[in-house]
Amino acid sequence: MRHMHTLIAARSPKLVRSYTSMVCMARRQAKSLHTPTHLNYVRSITVRTAEHSAFPQCNHGEEDVAKAAERVRKSIEMPPGLHESQVQNFRHLVQNAGHVSQGVSTTLLSCFGSCLYNVHPKQRTNLLQETWHMLRQNTVFEVGHYNTLLKVYVENGHNFTPTDIITEMQAHHIIPNMDTYENLMEHYCNHGDVQAATTVMNIMKECGFPIKEKVYSFLITGFFKSGDTESARDVLEQLRQASLTPSVQSYTALMCGYAQQGDMAAVKQLLSETPDRMINSRSVMKAVVTMVMAGHSQHVDEMIKMQEAVTDDGANGLMYVSQLVAHGFDDDAYKLFHSLYKQQGDPNYGRCLLQMFVQLERPLDSVMQLMERLKADNMTVDDISDVASTAIRMGKTDYAVAAIEMMKSLNLPVRTHYFWPAFCQYRDKGDKQGVITTAEKMVKLCDTRSDQLQTYLTYIYPALKKLGEPRDWLLTLPVNAGFRAEDVNFVNMVWILDTEGPEAAWDYAKDKKVHGNIKIFRRIASKIDHVRNLDSSWEYLFKVILHGFQGANLEKVTSHVLQEIINANPGREILGKILGFVTENNMLSSHEEQSKLVAMLQNAPASVTEKLVESRGLSRHLTLNQEEECSPEQGHNVSFPVLQRRGHQYATQTRDVHAALQSLDRIEVMYPERSDYHGLVLAVAHLLIQEGQQDEALVRLGNYSDKWRHQLLKTRTGTMRADCSKLVKTISSASYGARLVESLVYFGYLDTAHPVLNTYMEALLNSKYLHEVTEGVMYTASKYSWIPKLNDVILWLITTGETQALQTVVDTATGLLGQQEAIVRLIEGFLRCGQHQKVSKLLKDSGAYLENHRMRELVHKLVKGLRITELEGLVEAAQGVEDLDRRILMSELIRCYGNLHDEDAALSVWERCQEEGVPLEPASLHILSNYLQAVDIPVPFPVPPVPSKQVHRFEDVADEYLFHCIVHKQWENITESLKSLTPDMFFKLVDKIPGGERAVQATQRIAFHLGEVGNIDTLRAIDDSRAIRKAAVENVKRALFCAYIHRERHDELVWHLKQRRDMLASYLSSHGLSLLKEKSQYHYGEVVSMIHRQAMSSQLKPAGILWVHYFITSSPEADQLLQMYRGLNADLPLGFVFSHIRFTNEVELIPSLVNTFRSKHKLLLKAYDHCLSYHYSNRDLDAMMTAGRQLQEAGIRSSQLTRKYVRYVDYHCRKNNIASPFDRDATKSISPNNSTNADDLSSESDRDADVQ
């Protein structure tokens, strides 16, 4: 306390100076837009009402506040800093939380310093003082709070009275620490009060605080401010005498002092005498600002040349540009900014300077002159629309509206939605006159009248209502603006329908002439509470629809509202009344809309479909007898969907051939124009074949295809191929199967026989007749030059001992595939049957003809499937075969043991190589050493260096570096390069990556990171080019989805998705949906609505991705989605869930996922398969065994799991002499009854040999 009294007594006269600088760092460099410039505003300005609402007043836990504080700290440390909205949100969060920790409160106070780049220093100081008084209510201030207060005061150049703060600290019994004194010293020195600063320094020495180098830097500034140049120079010597080394801060203070005096000679001398790296570009730019503000602008050009000559890490110079702009030195600011542009080279770098002008609300004429100057120097492609967009984001509504008016004077198109954010901001400010005036300007400047009426409905009416204006006055605004009475009546009717209900809307509109607008009504229909919560007012709702629309528009609106009603899950009675009203008033008469209604009812929630029986389309969940009772056939009154569904039920459930054929005949007679019943034709053919009427089945198939062959070629789908395969699976002989396959191809159901030939051969193998199998092999080989299921055929013939037939098949395969491939297939078959002696004999007889790369392919296949027993057998069988490279076998055996995480066995292979004298390649030794080091086993051999070829694929060094970072996954080093990556360069990079799979993976990774940096133009070009591999197409689309979000072009994203509705699932991912929900709730809701609309029309794949998004965010809507769409279980992409688990390590999601599908056999198996994959990648054998036991307890056989993981567990169980948790069928060899997984199953004999 004594030192505080000393400081108060030694206080020099108060210095009144203006604030020193305004730190206004521009946001990150704008990305290039290869689009018409007037569209920039459209893509960035459209902000919905929900996004402009006030910060929600809710309680937040300590954990939420702590996480928010951590995010703010990271933003403070990284350029450009914090945005005003980010700080305001954090301030509200702290205010609502009440009591917070010292760390959180000091973080909030530090937000109002120079890091708040887009706010004037004086305004920052006012916000700081308001926040200080707010925190005082619930926070006990400590010395850290006062230190932060002093630091922010100094950064803002606030001329405070230190004695007042010291007195306040003394009153609260708070003792200053070293940071307190350092902040006071910096304040005194910035104002030239060296005497007071020296007093503070002496106090620090008395207290025992170390005098750091930065304290001497403060003194240098203080001496220069007071005009004592000699003393400032002597400080460096004092610093050295104190055993300290001058740093960048010391030399920067000296340079700024000379610059303030305009002494260029001293500046040059200092620059030449200063050691390397003691003056950087930040030092020179700070000196430039000091020189300009001291009135020495004549030296700016020379100083900028010095700045360009200094090479360092490239400090962010925009903060110094913003200081010059804030003080009105526009010309000097432009010179400094232009020098920074030379270093950056971004064609849109000028947008940063433009934002500084908008922040200060410079006259629009000056802004236009700036843009012309920037365009002349190729620093921007922006126009006045970007000024309006920037002003809106900064909350400068009047300025934005004035910019929009200037757009009109420059003959740029002005759209209605440009004004939407302005209405929202005026509403939040409580500016009623601003809303009215902007509405008048909108009508005057825009040409599209229907969009203006929609704006009244969506923005103007809600804003003025919130500000207290009466309804009757609101409804007169469009009429006064010159709109037609019938159009205004419709908008007003819809507004009342939305806010007051159907009955009030009908009372308003029943006596008025109304002209409906389907676009406006559809936009509001999904929000009408009375549609989702039906009561007695439903009749008024449909009266309103009937009154407002006519013809086709009436049917479309009715269909849309019915869809919302069915989604709301009403009761049977009220739904029946609604459908009766619709039918009675002929509101849904067209065939197309009736078909849509049937589709909606079929995919409605279960509680609706189980109760509903309607004459046009009955529930698919009713039995055939119930349907016939509820809807008896009345001649031509039976609809096409009913006939089609009944035919399917006759063919698949009751198996009534006569009734199924009768339904098919009636469709052909009653609906000759319909062709979409090929599924029924295939189902009837399937029934006929099972009943022994094969010829009749072929006749029926031929009749349909002769009539609709051209249409079939257009509508072929994966479902049709699956139905054809199901049909072929029922054959009883090879000859008839051949006729059926040929018929399906000839009739036009399939463009190639390959999709069903595998099923054809599988059916022959299941028949167990040797003659049928061999006949099928000969037929496919001669007809299609292909032998389907060749591995299964060879294995079956070896197992049954049919040597002659095996020889025939091998000879046939040799003629088709060549001797090399046939021998490899035969070797694999013998290995799977455990007949290693035959493998050895075959290798010795044909070793001279068997190329090493063929053996390598076989060995890679065994390693990939962890088929260790077969690989060990191959190694033994190949011993003594001189023409085979044994290094390949031993190296791959080491790799297989490594994949099995059995390092001891891998090491024993190396020892065996030493005994046999087999030299392993350096790469193999590296792999083995990595395996051993991973489990801390000493490496018993010297690891030779692996020579790497330095291949330069690009002439440009920057392109070569970019390629290197992509291959080695060093994405953090090329973020800026990816932002400007062009489509041509993208394809060049991908083409240079060797290997098909590696190229696909590289494409996927590059696309993901392009999406994260928001490179929309390149991603769109890639997506449209169709020049990338099929496996990476969806990754590009998902990355494009994320890129739109990162660039905040949400409207354009939704428009893009609507244009590609048929590919919606390809663009969606759980990550993208979470990102969109965080950025824009409104647009997230639109995308979710699109997903539901597709699900209602039986396109469930997008809904599956939505379920993943709900599941990983623990949303209860995940279960609701499964209940809503019964067929969704088949389209759940569980791989997305486990990708999220791998990325975030949220292991707790695994038991939740398993419990969700406990009663669903197929999905449970799928979930366990992904679970095993995850545990395998983590070497968690115990978890894999636990999963196997859980499958056993659930009574589920594990034969459909991925064999690789099952083999891994079985291997370690056999090694440790414990029982495997997986059932025996999961690992035994293929048999005639189980030939589906022939390429991936290990043999029964191998297991027996291992047990012995």
Side-chain angles (χ1 to χ4, degrees):
M1 292 298 178
R2 178 176 61 84
H3 297 298
M4 285 193 291
H5 287 295
T6 304
L7 180 61
I8 295 172
R11 175 74 175 93
S12 61
K14 181 178 180 181
L15 299 174
V16 180
R17 296 177 62 89
S18 62
Y19 57 85
T20 59
S21 64
M22 171 184 177
V23 181
C24 180
M25 299 179 67
R27 65 181 176 90
R28 299 184 186 278
Q29 300 172 11
K31 287 79 176 176
S32 176
L33 293 175
H34 304 292
T35 52
T37 54
H38 68 271
L39 293 179
N40 298 343
Y41 185 80
V42 181
R43 291 167 177 160
S44 57
I45 198 173
T46 306
V47 185
R48 303 300 181 186
T49 306
E51 298 177 6
H52 284 264
S53 59
F55 194 88
Q57 300 294 322
C58 57
N59 295 324
H60 299 272
E62 294 182 5
E63 184 177 356
D64 295 334
V65 178
K67 289 181 179 179
E70 183 62 28
R71 289 194 297 268
V72 170
R73 290 190 198 102
K74 291 181 180 179
S75 298
I76 291 175
E77 296 170 358
M78 296 176 61
L82 294 168
H83 192 273
E84 184 179 6
S85 60
Q86 188 178 359
V87 176
Q88 290 294 347
N89 290 344
F90 181 47
R91 185 175 184 272
H92 280 291
L93 190 67
V94 173
Q95 184 177 8
N96 294 333
H99 176 72
V100 293
S101 65
Q102 179 185 356
V104 173
S105 55
T106 53
T107 299
L108 177 59
L109 292 173
S110 63
C111 291
F112 301 101
S114 58
C115 60
L116 188 56
Y117 64 93
N118 64 336
V119 178
H120 195 282
K122 186 176 293 186
Q123 186 180 353
R124 293 200 302 254
T125 302
N126 294 335
L127 292 171
L128 171 67
Q129 293 170 347
E130 293 176 6
T131 305
W132 180 267
H133 294 302
M134 179 200 77
L135 291 174
R136 187 186 293 278
Q137 300 174 5
N138 298 309
T139 306
V140 178
F141 286 155
E142 300 178 7
V143 65
H145 296 91
Y146 285 94
N147 289 341
T148 305
L149 178 68
L150 289 171
K151 180 182 178 182
V152 175
Y153 273 161
V154 172
E155 289 181 359
N156 294 341
H158 179 53
N159 192 16
F160 63 95
T161 305
T163 53
D164 295 342
I165 295 179
I166 296 298
T167 303
E168 183 178 339
M169 294 176 67
Q170 181 182 10
H172 291 88
H173 306 288
I174 297 175
I175 302 176
N177 59 13
M178 182 175 65
D179 293 337
T180 310
Y181 292 122
E182 288 180 350
N183 289 327
L184 291 175
M185 273 202 68
E186 186 176 5
H187 168 72
Y188 286 133
C189 290
N190 286 343
H191 290 82
D193 193 348
V194 181
Q195 179 183 355
T198 306
T199 303
V200 176
M201 184 175 177
N202 293 332
I203 294 174
M204 293 178 65
K205 293 179 179 178
E206 292 179 16
C207 294
F209 295 129
I211 306 301
K212 298 181 180 179
E213 184 271 339
K214 68 178 179 179
V215 173
Y216 290 96
S217 302
F218 298 155
L219 287 176
I220 293 174
T221 302
F223 281 123
F224 273 118
K225 292 283 187 180
S226 62
D228 190 352
T229 306
E230 293 299 326
S231 298
R233 293 171 179 168
D234 294 340
V235 172
L236 284 183
E237 186 60 31
Q238 298 176 21
L239 192 151
R240 294 188 180 96
Q241 292 175 0
S243 300
L244 297 173
T245 303
S247 68
V248 175
Q249 189 172 1
S250 305
Y251 289 106
T252 301
L254 273 174
M255 178 173 281
C256 290
Y258 292 137
Q260 182 184 358
Q261 296 175 350
D263 190 349
M264 282 301 299
V267 171
K268 292 178 181 179
Q269 183 179 357
L270 177 65
L271 191 61
S272 62
E273 296 176 353
T274 303
D276 291 341
R277 297 187 176 276
M278 286 295 104
I279 288 184
N280 54 28
S281 59
R282 187 188 297 269
S283 307
V284 182
M285 286 187 285
K286 188 174 182 180
V288 170
V289 174
T290 305
M291 179 176 288
V292 171
M293 295 178 65
H296 304 294
S297 297
Q298 67 273 16
H299 301 304
V300 169
D301 294 334
E302 194 171 359
M303 288 291 293
I304 288 178
K305 289 181 181 179
M306 294 181 186
Q307 183 267 329
E308 293 175 350
V310 176
T311 57
D312 56 6
D313 58 351
N316 188 345
L318 293 178
M319 62 180 297
Y320 301 105
V321 176
S322 67
Q323 292 180 31
L324 295 175
V325 173
H327 289 83
F329 300 104
D330 295 349
D331 189 61
D332 297 317
Y334 187 87
K335 292 178 181 178
L336 180 58
F337 186 82
H338 190 268
S339 70
L340 296 174
Y341 164 72
K342 293 179 181 178
Q343 301 173 17
Q344 299 290 339
D346 189 341
N348 268 314
Y349 196 68
R351 187 172 297 174
C352 303
L353 185 59
L354 186 64
Q355 290 173 347
M356 298 177 194
F357 275 60
V358 174
Q359 172 66 34
L360 297 172
E361 297 189 32
R362 292 290 175 81
L364 288 173
D365 292 336
S366 300
V367 175
M368 291 296 296
Q369 293 175 5
L370 172 66
M371 282 194 295
E372 293 300 325
R373 193 173 180 183
L374 290 171
K375 289 180 180 179
D377 290 333
N378 296 321
M379 284 195 286
T380 188
V381 294
D382 292 342
D383 60 8
I384 190 65
S385 67
D386 295 276
V387 176
S389 173
T390 303
I392 280 293
R393 288 198 300 271
M394 293 180 177
K396 302 181 181 300
T397 318
D398 295 336
Y399 195 81
V401 174
I404 296 175
E405 291 185 88
M406 181 170 281
M407 288 175 63
K408 187 69 174 181
S409 65
L410 296 174
N411 295 323
L412 289 174
V414 177
R415 308 301 183 198
T416 308
H417 58 270
Y418 293 3
F419 295 89
W420 293 353
F423 293 128
C424 297
Q425 291 182 357
Y426 282 130
R427 177 205 64 197
D428 293 339
K429 295 175 183 177
D431 189 350
K432 183 190 310 180
Q433 188 58 41
V435 176
I436 298 173
T437 304
T438 305
E440 294 172 353
K441 292 180 179 179
M442 178 192 70
V443 174
K444 178 181 177 182
L445 299 176
C446 298
D447 300 325
T448 310
R449 307 290 282 181
S450 61
D451 290 344
Q452 294 177 31
L453 284 174
Q454 181 177 334
T455 303
Y456 274 95
L457 176 67
T458 312
Y459 291 94
I460 300 176
Y461 283 177
L464 293 175
K465 181 183 179 182
K466 184 177 181 180
L467 297 176
E469 291 298 325
R471 187 192 83 172
D472 294 340
W473 180 80
L474 289 179
L475 302 183
T476 61
L477 289 178
V479 177
N480 298 335
F483 291 94
R484 292 192 310 171
E486 55 267 31
D487 294 331
V488 174
N489 291 337
F490 175 76
V491 171
N492 293 342
M493 180 185 73
V494 174
W495 163 248
I496 298 172
L497 177 66
D498 185 23
T499 56
E500 302 178 29
E503 188 171 357
W506 174 244
D507 289 340
Y508 170 83
K510 61 183 178 182
D511 298 328
K512 296 180 176 63
K513 184 178 180 181
V514 175
H515 183 267
N517 185 311
I518 189 170
K519 179 180 177 182
I520 294 177
F521 189 87
R522 276 187 171 178
R523 192 171 186 85
I524 203 71
S526 59
K527 301 179 182 179
I528 300 176
D529 293 336
H530 301 277
V531 170
R532 293 193 172 275
N533 303 307
L534 288 173
D535 49 25
S536 57
S537 61
W538 68 265
E539 187 172 355
Y540 293 106
L541 171 63
F542 283 93
K543 285 182 178 180
V544 165
I545 295 172
L546 192 61
H547 184 63
F549 296 96
Q550 296 178 355
N553 286 345
L554 173 63
E555 295 194 355
K556 291 179 180 179
V557 172
T558 303
S559 175
H560 186 80
V561 173
L562 282 175
Q563 180 176 338
E564 296 294 332
I565 291 174
I566 293 173
N567 287 340
N569 195 7
R572 173 179 177 177
E573 181 179 355
I574 193 169
L575 189 56
K577 291 180 180 179
I578 292 173
L579 293 174
F581 183 90
V582 169
T583 304
E584 180 181 349
N585 291 277
N586 203 27
M587 298 174 68
L588 203 65
S589 58
S590 71
H591 180 79
E592 179 183 358
E593 296 300 331
Q594 289 181 10
S595 299
K596 288 183 181 179
L597 176 61
V598 172
M600 285 189 288
L601 297 177
Q602 288 179 340
N603 291 279
S607 55
V608 174
T609 57
E610 289 172 356
K611 291 181 285 187
L612 181 64
V613 177
E614 198 273 328
S615 60
R616 292 188 180 88
L618 303 176
S619 169
R620 60 180 176 181
H621 301 290
L622 298 177
T623 65
L624 187 60
N625 292 335
Q626 289 174 326
E627 185 175 332
E628 290 176 342
E629 291 176 1
C630 297
S631 179
E633 298 181 10
Q634 298 178 0
H636 292 277
N637 292 331
V638 183
S639 67
F640 174 80
V642 172
L643 280 176
Q644 187 179 24
R645 185 165 49 254
R646 286 182 180 177
H648 269 288
Q649 290 174 328
Y650 286 131
T652 58
Q653 296 180 12
T654 62
R655 304 180 61 79
D656 188 336
V657 176
H658 176 72
L661 290 174
Q662 187 178 17
S663 297
L664 183 58
D665 293 337
R666 291 187 64 187
I667 287 178
E668 293 175 348
V669 173
M670 296 173 59
Y671 300 97
E673 76 285 357
R674 300 295 294 265
S675 63
D676 51 338
Y677 58 95
H678 54 80
L680 174 59
V681 176
L682 293 172
V684 172
H686 184 273
L687 176 62
L688 291 171
I689 293 174
Q690 288 181 319
E691 296 296 326
Q693 303 181 34
Q694 290 88 347
D695 294 335
E696 179 65 19
L698 293 178
V699 170
R700 289 289 177 171
L701 290 171
N703 291 341
Y704 175 78
S705 63
D706 287 342
K707 185 177 180 181
W708 300 109
R709 180 172 302 187
H710 181 69
Q711 188 72 15
L712 279 173
L713 293 175
K714 289 183 178 181
T715 61
R716 187 177 300 107
T717 62
T719 303
M720 183 182 290
R721 288 193 291 270
D723 290 341
C724 291
S725 296
K726 181 180 177 182
L727 188 63
V728 173
K729 194 178 291 186
T730 61
I731 63 173
S732 57
S733 67
S735 57
Y736 179 72
R739 288 177 58 199
L740 183 58
V741 172
E742 290 180 11
S743 299
L744 292 173
V745 177
Y746 173 78
F747 291 153
Y749 291 86
L750 297 169
D751 53 352
T752 173
H754 287 187
V756 296
L757 283 180
N758 281 330
T759 306
Y760 166 67
M761 189 57 68
E762 182 181 338
L764 297 180
L765 288 171
N766 287 334
S767 69
K768 303 181 184 179
Y769 294 121
L770 177 62
H771 173 71
E772 300 292 346
V773 174
T774 53
E775 184 180 346
V777 170
M778 296 299 106
Y779 161 70
T780 55
S782 61
K783 179 70 176 179
Y784 301 103
S785 299
W786 182 50
I787 304 178
K789 295 282 185 180
L790 176 57
N791 287 355
D792 296 358
V793 173
I794 291 176
L795 181 61
W796 185 75
L797 293 174
I798 293 174
T799 306
T800 56
E802 299 292 344
T803 309
Q804 184 176 357
L806 177 62
Q807 184 63 50
T808 303
V809 171
V810 171
D811 291 341
T812 306
T814 302
L816 292 176
L817 307 176
Q819 185 181 20
Q820 298 281 330
E821 184 67 21
I823 291 174
V824 170
R825 298 289 186 101
L826 189 58
I827 289 174
E828 185 178 359
F830 284 134
L831 285 174
R832 294 168 68 183
C833 292
Q835 299 182 15
H836 300 155
Q837 292 181 353
K838 292 185 178 181
V839 174
S840 179
K841 184 176 183 302
L842 192 59
L843 288 174
K844 291 177 180 178
D845 293 342
S846 59
Y849 306 101
L850 194 59
E851 299 172 357
N852 281 319
H853 79 273
R854 294 286 186 179
M855 287 300 299
R856 188 184 291 272
E857 291 175 0
L858 173 59
V859 171
H860 281 176
K861 183 177 181 180
L862 299 178
V863 172
K864 187 175 181 180
L866 294 184
R867 294 156 64 174
I868 185 63
T869 307
E870 298 171 31
L871 184 56
E872 289 173 341
L874 180 60
V875 171
E876 294 298 331
Q879 191 168 6
V881 180
E882 298 179 356
D883 297 307
L884 291 180
D885 190 349
R886 192 160 178 78
R887 291 183 305 170
I888 297 176
L889 298 177
M890 305 304 279
S891 299
E892 296 302 330
L893 186 59
I894 289 175
R895 187 188 299 272
C896 192
Y897 280 128
N899 291 342
L900 286 165
H901 304 153
D902 191 348
E903 290 76 13
D904 294 331
L907 185 58
S908 66
V909 177
W910 174 80
E911 295 171 350
R912 182 175 174 181
C913 290
Q914 296 297 105
E915 296 173 0
E916 297 181 7
V918 177
L920 292 177
E921 297 176 350
S924 301
L925 294 176
H926 268 281
I927 293 173
L928 178 57
S929 65
N930 292 337
Y931 289 148
L932 298 178
Q933 291 171 4
V935 292
D936 297 328
I937 296 178
V939 180
F941 51 83
V943 182
V946 178
S948 59
K949 297 181 180 180
Q950 187 69 21
V951 180
H952 294 283
R953 297 172 176 84
F954 297 93
E955 296 180 0
D956 191 339
V957 177
D959 294 343
E960 182 68 26
Y961 176 72
L962 178 63
F963 179 80
H964 171 82
C965 291
I966 290 173
V967 172
H968 294 86
K969 304 178 184 179
Q970 298 172 357
W971 303 103
E972 66 279 359
N973 298 337
I974 55 174
T975 301
E976 294 300 324
S977 300
L978 290 175
K979 291 179 182 178
S980 57
L981 185 70
T982 62
D984 292 340
M985 190 62 199
F986 169 84
F987 289 114
K988 289 180 182 178
L989 290 169
V990 173
D991 291 341
K992 296 292 183 181
I993 298 175
E997 185 175 354
R998 290 181 61 188
V1000 170
Q1001 293 175 353
T1003 304
Q1004 294 170 344
R1005 291 195 299 266
I1006 297 173
F1008 172 79
H1009 288 279
L1010 286 175
E1012 292 301 298
V1013 300
N1015 193 336
I1016 297 177
D1017 299 321
T1018 298
L1019 285 170
R1020 288 194 65 171
I1022 298 170
D1023 188 23
D1024 296 337
S1025 69
R1026 300 182 180 179
I1028 59 175
R1029 296 177 183 267
K1030 186 176 181 181
V1033 170
E1034 290 193 353
N1035 297 80
V1036 172
K1037 295 182 185 299
R1038 292 169 188 147
L1040 180 59
F1041 185 96
C1042 296
Y1044 276 120
I1045 301 172
H1046 285 299
R1047 291 284 296 273
E1048 296 185 359
R1049 287 158 62 169
H1050 305 133
D1051 283 316
E1052 191 174 348
L1053 168 63
V1054 174
W1055 179 86
H1056 187 82
L1057 295 178
K1058 288 181 179 179
Q1059 298 302 311
R1060 293 163 174 81
R1061 286 189 180 92
D1062 55 332
M1063 296 185 290
L1064 178 61
S1066 300
Y1067 288 92
L1068 297 179
S1069 66
S1070 56
H1071 169 67
L1073 289 173
S1074 300
L1075 195 62
L1076 182 59
K1077 185 177 182 181
E1078 178 184 348
K1079 296 288 186 179
S1080 173
Q1081 285 281 353
Y1082 174 82
H1083 296 91
Y1084 169 78
E1086 281 201 342
V1087 173
V1088 171
S1089 299
M1090 292 172 61
I1091 294 173
H1092 280 288
R1093 283 195 292 271
Q1094 288 213 353
M1096 296 297 291
S1097 59
S1098 299
Q1099 300 179 38
L1100 296 175
K1101 193 172 180 180
I1105 301 174
L1106 179 62
W1107 177 88
V1108 173
H1109 164 65
Y1110 286 152
F1111 179 80
I1112 63 179
T1113 56
S1114 302
S1115 172
E1117 294 178 270
D1119 294 333
Q1120 298 173 9
L1121 204 64
L1122 290 176
Q1123 296 174 3
M1124 185 176 297
Y1125 306 114
R1126 290 193 170 187
L1128 183 58
N1129 293 329
D1131 288 283
L1132 290 181
L1134 299 186
F1136 280 12
V1137 179
F1138 281 88
S1139 296
H1140 174 80
I1141 294 173
R1142 286 189 178 91
F1143 185 74
T1144 61
N1145 204 26
E1146 296 181 18
V1147 188
E1148 62 275 5
L1149 288 176
I1150 294 179
S1152 175
L1153 184 69
V1154 171
N1155 291 332
T1156 301
F1157 303 117
R1158 183 68 64 184
S1159 60
K1160 299 177 177 63
H1161 174 87
K1162 290 184 179 180
L1163 281 176
L1164 186 60
L1165 270 174
K1166 193 175 179 182
Y1168 270 112
D1169 202 44
H1170 285 290
C1171 180
L1172 289 172
S1173 173
Y1174 174 77
H1175 292 315
Y1176 171 77
S1177 63
N1178 292 330
R1179 291 192 172 198
D1180 196 343
L1181 179 62
D1182 293 336
M1184 296 179 74
M1185 295 185 66
T1186 301
R1189 295 189 190 99
Q1190 291 174 351
L1191 278 172
Q1192 278 189 337
E1193 293 172 0
I1196 298 175
R1197 301 180 69 83
S1198 54
S1199 57
Q1200 299 301 316
L1201 293 172
T1202 301
R1203 303 283 74 75
K1204 176 179 178 179
Y1205 311 129
V1206 177
R1207 291 191 189 105
Y1208 176 83
V1209 175
D1210 281 353
Y1211 173 82
H1212 285 279
C1213 288
R1214 291 196 301 270
K1215 180 180 177 182
N1216 298 316
N1217 294 322
I1218 59 177
S1220 172
F1222 295 106
D1223 55 76
R1224 193 171 181 82
D1225 287 340
T1227 52
K1228 74 180 183 180
S1229 68
I1230 185 172
S1231 67
N1233 294 325
N1234 184 19
S1235 60
T1236 304
N1237 298 320
D1239 291 335
D1240 200 33
L1241 297 178
S1242 58
S1243 66
E1244 180 76 36
S1245 56
D1246 282 345
R1247 289 177 53 86
D1248 294 339
D1250 291 334
V1251 172
Q1252 293 173 2

